[in-house]
DNA sequence: TTGTAGGCGTTATCAA
DNA sequence: TTGATAACGCCTACAA
């Protein structure tokens, strides 16, 4: 591979001039720059980005740390990060955590090791580096969705309390009075906020808050299946279910159908996320749209801001959500 | 950030000894190594991987280039790459191509620029670097699924001809004689092979090959919807559909249902991929499982082999597929 | 077993 | 407008 020295020799100039031709073309005489560019073309020279990084003390790369990619919410977030990163000439490194603190921390070492300029996190855990950060300065980390007890860290998330409260309001507007709730976690701040929102929604409607809440272990379709089975077996009375993800909702509909219950005639089901499959569900799923690609985009922007001004970027962005009415929810027939 | 020199000073040794303590611990006296490790701990030193890369002329990173992450087949592949990469201490950089040659080539420049050691590609395009490669030596690129007219390049894929042929055989074993086919592309080698397989399957069964093939533009659910509408409007007679992806199949079932056709009573539908949603379809989808995570894993292994021996790694891996019977296909009732 | 020193390929400062 | 040169932080012969 040709390096900058080879170009300098072939063009008959110094390496400084070659570098300038590449980075600050306006500072070099057109004739010189022409010679240099010809040499570059001829040897098909490409800047060695590793050397460049080392010298500039900047990697032009970020890490996006996520538990896995199976979930389309996660995939959307990564895609969002990539979009904004690419616009800005920044590379994205993938950090799968499997929900393990250790792996998350190991990914952060790439930031510590200067191989990346910052990290965007979507995970149940918080990087130890943040927790132990006593420097008084925020680290180049952006937290998304989850945001437990963090003092100094930019973050982007949804208004989870409102999301769930509006889900309830909508069902109440369809005359439902016995609303069950399937959560994806009992520990995540996001889930706990949504559960608070669920109760808030019921109270706003003047309904008694019964604890018809089933907490699953994650947001996958299997969780929806199991939780719905548990709900049915519990014998509790309900005419609608709020689910913390579309996958859970899809699992719920599936299980309800197997139990001989029709959606939405017998039970209304409402999801969250608005994944691509939601509108092709049977029936198409009513859901609250939470655009994960927006989360990724905003998180990446925050990281870019951070690079310009660490203090200014130390803030929280709350993204909008939107109810999308489809066919999995319906007016409660009187007498139920 | 503390660097190797700081550690050397604090431990009272040379930087060579520090480096050795990290890379070749057996070559250093335990007492010395203890001092060094204490210093490392104290200053929470982390190797600067950029400097290390530059010196070693090895990035310990690979790029995985994919059109986008919306598709779960793609996400699975990326996940597979990540798994094997992580086991081997290699970082994964994400390269989204949007199906554009230019972006794919730009991602390869990171390999050319030494920021990555190799690239794994799942895309409609082939990197120009391969096409223009006249060096006689294979490049550190592994192609997956797609493999058009490539002379010198390791690759991993499925036996697409057999995949489609078996799909047909299975439907024929259920007495179907009028089988339609929805493809995801008319240009991709993968799709063309599957179409060949479709015809082969019909011929094997002694059936006339009618050209009941609808070619969609991609493998998404929307394509299944549109193609199925076209199929219904065409007035052609068919009792089963082979779809080139589960998403297409899900879209087909959705559209069939809207047209008042029951699956599998009226029409059998068979997909490919076995995505996570397949078993929760309504009805659960019969499909040919193509594990994309395996593709990613094998591709990454091939790249590792390549690093050890470029020639030996210049080969093709063909992965197994498997028919999974669920409820979207059924015996054809006589008289249809 | 440890230390010295050169070099990986850039960028950026300073002087010419 | 250009060139010489000193870093960036690390690894690894080679010498001691």
């Amino acid at each position: 591979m040709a390096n900058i020295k080879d170009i300098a020799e072939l063009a008959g100039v110094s390496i400084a001039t070659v570098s300038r031709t590449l980075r600050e073309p306006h500072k070099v005489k057109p004739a010189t720059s022409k010679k240099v560019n010809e040499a570059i073309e001829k040897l098909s020279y490409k800047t060695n980005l590793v050397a460049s990084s080392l010298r500039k003390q900047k990697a032009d790369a970020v890490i996006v740390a996520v538990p896995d990619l199976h979930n389309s919410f996660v995939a959307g977030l990564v895609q969002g990060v990539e979009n904004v990163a690419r616009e800005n000439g920044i590379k994205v490194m993938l950090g799968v955590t499997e929900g393990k603190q250790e792996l998350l921390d190991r990914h952060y070492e790439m930031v510590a090791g200067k191989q990346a300029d910052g990290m965007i996190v979507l995970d149940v855990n918080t990087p130890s580096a943040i927790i132990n950060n006593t420097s008084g300065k925020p680290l180049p980390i952006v937290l998304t969705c989850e945001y437990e007890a963090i003092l100094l860290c930019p973050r982007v998330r949804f208004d989870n309390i409102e999301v769930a409260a509006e889900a309830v309001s909508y069902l109440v507007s369809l005359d439902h009075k016995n609303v069950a709730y399937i959560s994806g976690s009992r520990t995540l701040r996001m889930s706990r906020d949504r559960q608070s929102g669920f109760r808030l929604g019921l109270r706003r409607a003047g309904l008694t808050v019964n604890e018809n809440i089933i907490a699953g272990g994650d947001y996958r379709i299997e969780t929806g299946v199991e939780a719905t089975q548990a709900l049915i077996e519990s014998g509790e009375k309900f005419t609608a279910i709020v689910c913390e993800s579309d996958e859970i909702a899809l699992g719920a509909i599936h299980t309800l159908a197997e139990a001989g219950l029709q959606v939405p005639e017998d039970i209304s089901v409402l999801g969250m996320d608005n994944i691509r499959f939601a509108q092709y569900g049977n029936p198409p799923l009513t859901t609250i749209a939470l655009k994960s690609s927006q989360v990724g985009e905003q998180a990446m922007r925050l990281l870019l801001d951070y690079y310009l001004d660490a203090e200014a970027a130390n803030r929280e962005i709350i993204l909008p959500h939107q109810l999308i009415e489809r066919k999995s929810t319906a007016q409660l027939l009187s007498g139920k």
Side-chain angles (χ1 to χ4, degrees), chain A:
Chain A
M1 258 305 279
N3 63 21
I4 201 170
K5 209 173 140 197
D6 300 325
I7 304 302
E9 277 170 20
L10 183 58
V13 297
S14 72
I15 60 169
T17 299
V18 177
S19 183
R20 258 192 303 260
T21 307
L22 260 16
R23 307 299 147 218
E24 310 162 297
H26 60 282
K27 285 190 182 174
V28 30
K29 206 164 67 179
T32 314
S33 130
K34 186 158 171 284
K35 278 191 300 183
V36 172
N37 284 320
E38 281 168 4
I40 288 175
E41 178 72 17
K42 196 161 183 179
L43 304 186
S44 64
Y45 165 78
K46 301 269 182 285
T47 302
N48 181 316
L49 298 167
V50 174
S52 173
S53 264
L54 175 60
R55 176 60 232 241
K56 291 192 300 187
Q57 292 293 81
K58 189 161 175 304
D60 288 327
V62 298
I63 302 168
V64 46
V66 296
D68 62 57
L69 286 173
H70 297 311
N71 185 303
S72 48
F73 186 89
V74 175
L77 179 135
V78 173
Q79 178 91 57
V81 170
E82 213 274 348
N83 290 154
V84 175
R86 181 150 38 83
E87 280 171 14
N88 290 274
I90 290 172
K91 286 97 196 172
V92 175
M93 317 202 59
L94 189 62
V96 171
T97 67
E98 295 177 354
K100 294 178 189 158
Q101 180 77 46
E102 186 219 336
L103 286 177
L104 178 61
D105 288 340
R106 198 186 299 167
H107 290 309
Y108 181 70
E109 285 180 14
M110 291 177 53
V111 178
K114 300 276 187 187
Q115 209 170 7
D117 301 321
M119 180 158 89
I120 290 166
V121 180
L122 170 64
D123 199 48
V124 292
N125 299 301
T126 302
S128 307
I130 293 185
I131 296 168
N132 305 329
N133 179 21
T134 52
S135 74
K137 284 178 290 189
L139 300 173
I141 298 179
V142 175
L143 259 29
T144 66
C145 298
E146 206 42 30
Y147 46 100
E148 190 65 69
I150 300 311
L151 296 171
L152 209 57
C153 192
R155 44 191 179 268
V156 15
R157 63 173 177 98
F158 295 100
D159 185 343
N160 292 299
I161 295 181
E162 268 310 311
V163 166
E166 285 178 26
V168 173
S169 299
Y170 173 69
L171 290 169
V172 167
S173 78
L174 298 177
D175 298 332
H176 290 275
K177 290 184 178 52
N178 295 289
V179 183
Y181 185 91
I182 300 177
S183 161
S185 160
R186 59 180 81 239
T187 50
L188 285 185
R189 175 68 181 265
M190 179 178 83
S191 278
R192 286 190 286 127
D193 279 359
R194 290 183 185 172
Q195 289 175 39
S196 304
F198 172 65
R199 297 192 191 92
L200 175 64
L202 291 176
R203 265 184 270 116
R204 275 185 188 160
L207 296 174
T208 333
V209 178
N210 70 348
E211 286 298 313
N212 213 351
I213 296 180
I214 305 279
D218 56 44
Y219 299 88
R220 297 184 313 148
I221 199 165
E222 287 80 5
T223 295
V225 170
E226 290 159 17
T228 305
Q229 274 159 356
L231 199 57
I232 292 171
E233 285 163 14
S234 76
E236 292 275 352
K237 189 181 167 195
F238 63 93
T239 61
I241 314 178
V242 173
C243 302
E244 273 188 10
S245 76
D246 286 345
E247 283 208 29
I248 290 177
L250 257 17
I253 291 175
H254 185 262
T255 307
L256 258 12
E258 288 198 335
L261 292 163
Q262 296 265 53
V263 175
E265 291 78 2
D266 300 321
I267 308 280
S268 283
V269 174
L270 186 151
M272 294 180 195
D273 288 346
N274 193 31
I275 61 176
R276 228 148 43 79
F277 287 105
Q279 65 177 303
Y280 297 100
N282 186 338
L285 194 61
T286 295
T287 189
I288 297 193
L290 307 171
K291 282 198 87 178
S292 65
S293 60
Q294 276 185 8
V295 178
E297 286 166 11
Q298 291 296 338
M300 188 62 225
R301 295 226 166 82
L302 223 39
L303 214 44
L304 288 168
D305 291 349
Y306 175 92
Y307 187 73
L308 300 175
D309 178 359
E311 288 310 320
N314 185 28
R315 60 179 193 273
E316 182 171 59
I317 292 180
I318 296 184
L319 261 20
H321 56 268
Q322 189 197 354
L323 176 73
I324 305 209
E325 295 187 58
R326 295 207 185 90
K327 308 289 186 191
S328 68
T329 48
Q331 186 89 24
L332 185 69
L333 297 176
S334 54
K336 287 226 178 182

